[in-house]
Amino acid sequence: NFMLMLNQIYDEFDKLVLKHRVNKVETIGDAYIVTCNGIDTDDGRGAAEKVALFALDAMTFVKHYRYNDMRVFIRSGLATGPVVFGVIGAAVPKYTIFGDTVNYASRMESSSKSMKIQCSEKTANLLRDSDDYEFLTDMRREGDAKGIEVKGKGFVHTWWIRDACKRGESGNSVGDGSASKRISFLNSSF
């Protein structure tokens, strides 16, 4: 039953990949991983925007999805930065990505909370500078602390992505309704 449920969810996520023009890198167990190449903009804003919109739509889908009357909960993490793409292996070649950005996105996901999208400060800054969308973000706070401790990074400021709407269209929210390249990366797990 778990595999059937996961397949139904991944089928919907695959449709969102096409809608938002992001790249599905792989699924590892219950993790669904996408990237978006930032070559379309000088600073990665377009890539961060596409991945964030994908994450918001994925959250919306999961919020309404039921399997045998049971709810499913996910958490997501986004980070932006350089990565290296490559194919490894000869017997069973596998396309994959490597780099600190991949690890950082994974940390954003693992330290996120149920049904929330957590992103790095760099990603949040790119989203705030989006030309096409207004992203609603909140700095993560734990008690009096602004930010969290992240393995391998130390204490960092992170942000929750709550929603987005097309600039100039208030009320039309999205969240509810081979070399090193700059990418935004999503790691989402159940």
Side-chain angles (χ1 to χ4, degrees):
N1 284 344
F2 177 76
M3 292 304 291
L4 178 62
M5 177 202 67
L6 206 54
N7 193 53
Q8 289 174 353
I9 293 169
Y10 283 2
D11 282 350
E12 290 302 317
F13 285 8
D14 288 348
K15 292 174 189 172
L16 295 176
V17 162
L18 297 173
K19 175 183 175 183
H20 294 290
R21 297 179 312 162
V22 296
N23 304 304
K24 177 180 176 182
V25 175
E26 62 186 325
T27 57
I28 303 172
D30 62 357
Y32 191 97
I33 302 169
V34 303
T35 66
C36 187
N37 190 335
I39 206 81
D40 58 341
T41 63
D42 292 352
D43 60 7
R45 277 183 296 165
E49 180 181 294
K50 289 176 185 179
V51 172
L53 293 171
F54 170 89
L56 286 164
D57 276 353
M59 282 290 173
T60 299
F61 167 74
V62 169
K63 185 165 82 173
H64 300 287
Y65 176 81
R66 300 291 182 274
Y67 183 78
N68 292 337
D69 294 325
M70 291 187 309
R71 282 200 65 195
V72 173
F73 299 92
I74 64 172
R75 58 183 187 228
S76 293
L78 282 70
T80 303
V83 299
V84 176
F85 296 79
V87 177
I88 58 172
V92 182
K94 180 180 178 185
Y95 175 79
T96 193
I97 56 178
F98 306 91
D100 185 57
T101 304
V102 176
N103 295 332
Y104 199 10
S106 179
R107 301 283 190 256
M108 290 293 92
E109 178 273 321
S110 64
S111 64
S112 187
K113 294 187 177 180
S114 180
M115 297 305 291
K116 289 198 175 246
I117 304 165
Q118 180 173 230
C119 71
S120 67
E121 188 161 38
K122 183 176 187 175
T123 302
N125 289 336
L126 290 170
L127 294 175
R128 277 191 285 282
D129 291 340
S130 170
D131 293 329
D132 298 324
Y133 288 87
E134 183 175 343
F135 286 88
L136 304 176
T137 60
D138 296 319
M139 180 180 273
R140 182 170 179 174
R141 299 174 191 271
E142 295 296 325
D144 293 334
K146 294 179 180 178
I148 60 168
E149 188 74 27
V150 174
K151 181 180 176 184
K153 294 287 185 186
F155 193 82
V156 296
H157 293 148
T158 67
W159 297 80
W160 300 119
I161 303 171
R162 290 190 295 120
D163 209 345
C165 61
K166 203 86 157 123
R167 291 207 184 270
E169 296 181 18
S170 61
N172 287 339
S173 68
V174 173
D176 277 325
S178 357
S180 178
K181 305 232 176 173
R182 181 179 306 278
I183 61 118
S184 282
F185 179 83
L186 167 80
N187 185 342
S188 188
S189 288
F190 297 88

